[in-house]
């Protein structure tokens, strides 16, 4: 597949739901040496922040235990927004999402077998949600 000119990635097992977030600047401000003018459309690089090698050791490695003793800032890991849940703009569904994911992953990993047929797992980082071209197909599904 030709990926030239397209912000595409190939992933065997995962892809970002929302690679970036957009917002419009309400009032002029300066941050990190940059001027933000009222009315400007700004994009927050969610994927980039979650994979920043200055914050994360081997950011692409699936290593959930890294969060066991993690004492990072609420702005370091932002798949569902950053900052404070009560006063900020962070995802109101974060806790229910995490619980649903725990139950779903346990079921997929422990209670069923399946095959992944040949498929196109390329996805675009310029699309929200960044679904793989084939979505995600499984077959030969059996209960364990
Ligand atoms: C994988 C699942 C999900 C992801 C990745 C996700 C991600 C996000 C992100 C990135 C934001 C924007 C935060 C910001 O603007 O700073 C957001 C906002 C929000 N999400 Fe989610 N979300 C998920 C599931 C859910 C679910 C299941 C619900 C409801 C049950 C939900 C409810 C909301 C609401 C109400 C907001 C707006 C919060 C506000 O504007 O103050 N989300 N979410």
């Amino acid at each position: 597949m030709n990926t030239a000119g397209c912000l595409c990635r190939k992933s065997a097992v995962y892809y970002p739901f929302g690679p970036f977030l957009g917002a419009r600047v309400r009032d002029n401000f300066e941050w990190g040496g940059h001027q933000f003018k009222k009315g400007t459309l700004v994009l927050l690089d969610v994927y980039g922040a979650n994979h920043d090698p200055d914050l994360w050791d081997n950011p692409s490695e699936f290593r959930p235990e890294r969060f066991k003793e993690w004492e990072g800032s609420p702005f370091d890991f932002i798949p569902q927004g950053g900052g404070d849940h009560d006063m900020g703009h962070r995802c109101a569904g974060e806790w229910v999402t995490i619980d649903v994911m725990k139950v779903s992953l346990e079921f997929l990993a422990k209670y069923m077998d399946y095959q992944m047929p040949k498929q196109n797992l390329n996805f675009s980082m310029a699309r929200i949600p960044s679904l793989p071209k084939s979505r995600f197909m499984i077959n030969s599904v059996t209960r364990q």
Side-chain angles (χ1 to χ4, degrees):
M1 186 193 165
N2 177 17
T3 55
C6 122
L7 293 164
C8 293
R9 299 278 186 282
K10 181 157 184 159
S11 162
V13 287
Y14 60 84
Y15 51 91
F17 175 80
F20 57 89
L21 295 171
R24 222 167 264 286
V25 176
R26 273 198 192 155
D27 296 301
N28 295 339
F29 69 96
E30 187 190 325
W31 180 81
H34 298 277
Q35 298 293 335
F36 291 81
K37 282 201 173 145
K38 184 176 176 178
T40 309
L41 174 67
V42 290
L43 299 178
L44 170 65
D45 181 4
V46 174
Y47 184 87
N50 292 338
H51 291 78
D52 184 346
D54 288 342
L55 299 173
W56 307 103
D57 169 40
N58 276 329
S60 295
E61 195 176 273
F62 181 64
R63 205 186 330 133
E65 63 275 15
R66 71 170 86 221
F67 294 104
K68 245 181 169 175
E69 318 252 311
W70 183 63
E71 286 180 11
S73 138
F75 292 99
D76 288 353
F77 187 57
I78 54 168
Q80 286 173 277
D84 184 75
H85 286 95
D86 298 330
M87 301 304 290
H89 196 50
R90 195 170 176 140
C91 177
E94 186 156 353
W95 306 122
V96 75
T97 303
I98 291 170
D99 279 344
V100 168
M101 282 174 67
K102 281 186 196 162
V103 174
S104 314
L105 282 174
E106 189 181 15
F107 190 76
L108 281 168
K110 283 172 53 181
Y111 299 106
M112 61 189 273
D113 282 322
Y114 57 86
Q115 301 289 322
M116 274 176 63
K118 203 166 167 353
Q119 56 193 292
N120 183 351
L121 293 175
N122 284 301
F123 58 87
S124 168
M125 292 284 275
R127 187 184 184 281
I128 296 180
S130 55
L131 291 169
K133 297 272 185 290
S134 303
R135 303 298 195 254
F136 179 67
M137 296 189 291
I138 58 176
N139 61 18
S140 308
V141 180
T142 54
R143 229 191 166 99
Q144 275 192 28

